Amino acid sequence: MATRKKIIPDENPPASEANAKTADLLQNTESGQGEFMTTNHGVRINDDQNSLKAGERGPSLLEDFILREKITHFDHERIPERVVHARGSAAHGVFKVYKPLSQYTKANFLNDTSAETPVFVRFSTVAGSRGSTDMPRDVRGFAVKFYTQEGNFDLVGNNMPVFFIQDAIKFPDLIHAVKPEPHNEIPQAASAHDTFWDFVSHNSEATHMIMWLMSDRALPRSLRMMEGFGVHTFRLVNAEGISSFVKFHWKPLLGVHSIAWNESQNISGKDPDFHRRDLWEAIESGNFPEWEMGVQIVPEADEHKFDFDLLDPTKLIPEELVPVIRIGKMTLNRNPDNFFAETEQVAFHVGHIVPGIDFTNDPLLQGRIFSYTDTQLLRLGGPNFHEIPINRPVVPVHNNQRDGLMRQTINKDRTSYNPNSLGNGCPFQAGAMKGGFTSYQERIDSKKIRERSPSFFDFFSQATLFYNSQSEPEKNHLTDALRFELSMVKSIEIRKRMLGILTYVDKGLAAQVAYGLGLNIPTDIGLINHGIPADADPQTYQPIIKEGALTKSASLSMANNVLDSIKTRKVAILAADDVNKDSLMTVKNALLAEGAVVEIVAPRLGTIRSTKNEEISVDKSLLTTPSVLYDAVYVPGGTNSVATLAADADAVHFLNEAYKHCKPIAADQDAVQMLEATYFSKKLPENNNDDTVIREGVVLGNDAASISTQFIKAMKMHRFWEREKPRKVPA
Ligand code: HDE
């Protein structure tokens, strides 16, 4: 019989044992393996498949408490989904700091290099409902709960470093605008509709974020291959009480990669759980996702040295101005045991900070501090959501809070107030010397006003910086995204207003988008919002480039990111009966040795035969698996295998689509018949007479070993976006 692990909340383990016990504490596992079924009150159930009836064919009886308990529980199994970030996936892991950061912060988990701080990380999309696709064009949430020895620290960030609005009071407007429209609840998980662009076109402070949202950053290849950002400027505070400003970053060790928009739309149909599955499978197979935590630190004295305001969440600090120092590593190494108990019930809160970390006066951050408790009260049903196992700290909780819905802790003491003498004054206030949290003593001497600082009123220069920093293919994608989204908007007035705004980012961009919309850039658009003189003429306006300001920032383009690994990339090997097994295995083994995931895809399931009559197991059939679920494709030789595939429309489509989405493709020379069946074969650039030919990511050769080498080289490049425009495939 399985033993039960029971949690007694006020008997949390001492600090030294806490790490080891975290997994147990967080799990409260009730697997039921080997146990008899009982009611919720522990009575053994004789039969749970037949309700109590008056006779074999008679009516069910009201006294059937087993039926009623089962159905009542079922009727109450749903809680309100998150108002934003409803669609999410999560994992457990650990964080380790590389070097003590005592110069900047006294936070223990950023100083103790021997500590493995447990974390729980939830990734999410923003606009869609809980059951929506993983693959919309959207921001991704990147929320990390650190269970530190000084209490929980939540870094509730996104995969983009800036935000749409500067002040929290605008958040409900932003979210009302992007969510499905209220009269018909259309469209699900998409920003391409009138209300969103209506809001954006009246809210030019969103322009920088719009550039990120229209870029490929909104289409991550994997949750494991995207950056994370704390967005706001926070404070670090050291033991002497000296504070520095800090921006938090997460840098994925697999690099930052995206997919094509057309691909993303297809995946939504073929596998709407694409990101969730990818994360789950990577962890199950031991390919633990890793990120390095980075910090950009700005001494307090340098607060006003930038040409933007550090408190403005629509601005980033270019890495050229303040480098990102990598200070530690996070590894996700365990999937949740139960989606609802952990991923759904986890409650993040930007206000969960520990000594050594503090807030700034960013008006967006300030509003969030209020919002997150409030939302959990509604979503998790009362003030005791911190007692749900996934939300509990690994250190003991002692205070005078009592009662409330669903209270778990059975407090045994008589006093629940402070000061007291009946309880010997317990629990004591720690005071700063014993690790009590003290707020940074920022001096404030000002009038109460409902206004924004003029230092927040440059809405375009960082949008221009972002656009200018993109590679040509990235710029093309951004233009196409804007054309797509604004074409879905029905109101011509909104489209025109957006063209006006884009003019202030880059005139060429605005002109290209205008062309796609069949519109001219309007001349009569003054900007409703701050940032541009009301009488500025979009036709003659030049973007503001401040003196000495950067014109490009390398880290803003994914093209400059890590391109040195094919670890966990998925490769399809297309094969049919009479395939050349030697080639197939040589390439497969070379890919596996580099850490790739390889699947044999054939016209049907079961096994296929090799030319030497050996059996080869098939992983997937063409019926269920499209090319959009893979990063690259290889076609081994074997006359009959190639002939079968060349005559199979699904196989030919597989290759055409992989080419369209700019993926590496490899084939044996004697599989060339298969390539010739494709649309793109005649469009390949000239053969450059290399032994193994690699042309815009298409590798063709006689020798499987050198095909492997070239194919792996091509896969490290991730995608060959430059083939996209001139050689577009109509698939
Ligand atoms: Fe959130 N946000 N947010 N947000 N947010 C929520 O909290 C809110 C903002 C972010 O995986 C909610 O538990 C306000 C910025 C993530 O569980 C809610 C404002 C950033 C998640 C809420 C913001 C975020 C949330 C909904 C403007 C990036 C998912 C359910 C002042 C730095 C966390 C919940 C998870 C979730 C409010 C702006 C990130 C309603 C009022 C900026 C990753 O409380």
Side-chain angles (χ1 to χ4, degrees), residues 407-548:
R407 184 69 173 176
Q408 310 289 304
T409 309
I410 303 174
N411 296 96
K412 295 177 186 147
D413 37 14
R414 185 178 166 197
T415 55
S416 52
Y417 54 89
N418 185 37
N420 71 59
S421 59
L422 294 178
N424 295 324
C426 295
F428 304 111
Q429 297 171 78
M433 298 311 289
K434 294 264 165 44
F437 181 89
T438 51
S439 290
Y440 176 68
Q441 295 194 2
E442 183 180 359
R443 191 177 170 79
I444 298 190
D445 177 14
S446 52
K447 292 186 188 138
K448 280 189 212 167
I449 49 165
R450 207 178 266 284
E451 280 174 25
R452 235 175 302 168
S453 165
S455 56
F456 279 37
F457 286 164
D458 164 15
F459 299 149
F460 301 103
S461 30
Q462 285 208 349
T464 305
L465 175 70
F466 180 81
Y467 183 68
N468 288 344
S469 305
Q470 304 303 300
S471 65
E472 269 321 296
E474 285 172 319
K475 282 185 177 166
N476 291 337
H477 293 170
L478 208 153
T479 309
D480 284 348
L482 281 161
R483 283 178 176 172
F484 179 94
E485 297 263 320
L486 293 173
S487 298
M488 302 295 276
V489 166
K490 295 195 179 64
S491 157
I492 295 199
E493 286 314 306
I494 296 173
R495 292 186 193 151
K496 284 186 180 166
R497 267 203 303 275
M498 277 316 301
L499 290 177
I501 287 188
L502 292 176
T503 314
Y504 299 121
V505 178
D506 184 273
K507 278 185 167 170
L509 169 66
Q512 287 180 55
V513 176
Y515 177 79
L517 299 178
L519 290 173
N520 292 321
I521 299 203
T523 49
D524 55 349
I525 292 181
L527 274 190
I528 301 87
N529 231 308
H530 299 280
I532 293 291
D535 55 355
D537 176 357
Q539 300 284 357
T540 53
Y541 175 80
Q542 294 297 329
I544 309 167
I545 309 240
K546 293 178 189 154
E547 214 185 304

Side-chain angles (χ1 to χ4, degrees), residues 82-85 122-124 140-143 156-158 163 165 167-169 171 229-232 346-348 363-365 367-368 371-372 375-376 379:
R82 289 166 172 83
V83 57
V84 281
H85 297 267
R122 183 173 180 273
F123 304 102
S124 47
R140 298 303 190 283
F142 194 130
V156 197
N158 280 341
F163 203 63
I165 48 172
D167 190 314
I169 202 166
F171 192 65
F229 303 89
V231 176
H232 312 280
V346 64
F348 291 95
L364 188 69
L365 172 60
R368 292 179 74 197
S371 174
Y372 286 71
T375 210
Q376 314 307 348
R379 204 168 67 78

Side-chain angles (χ1 to χ4, degrees), residues 3 112 184 218 238 291 299 321 339 342 400 455 501 527 567 597 599 613 615 621-622 629:
T3 47
D112 182 355
N184 57 11
N238 70 14
W291 285 261
L321 302 188
F339 185 91
E342 300 177 88
N400 291 317
S455 56
I501 287 188
L527 274 190
K567 234 178 137 209
V597 176
E599 287 182 344
N613 223 8
E615 286 203 334
S621 86
L622 283 164
L629 305 183

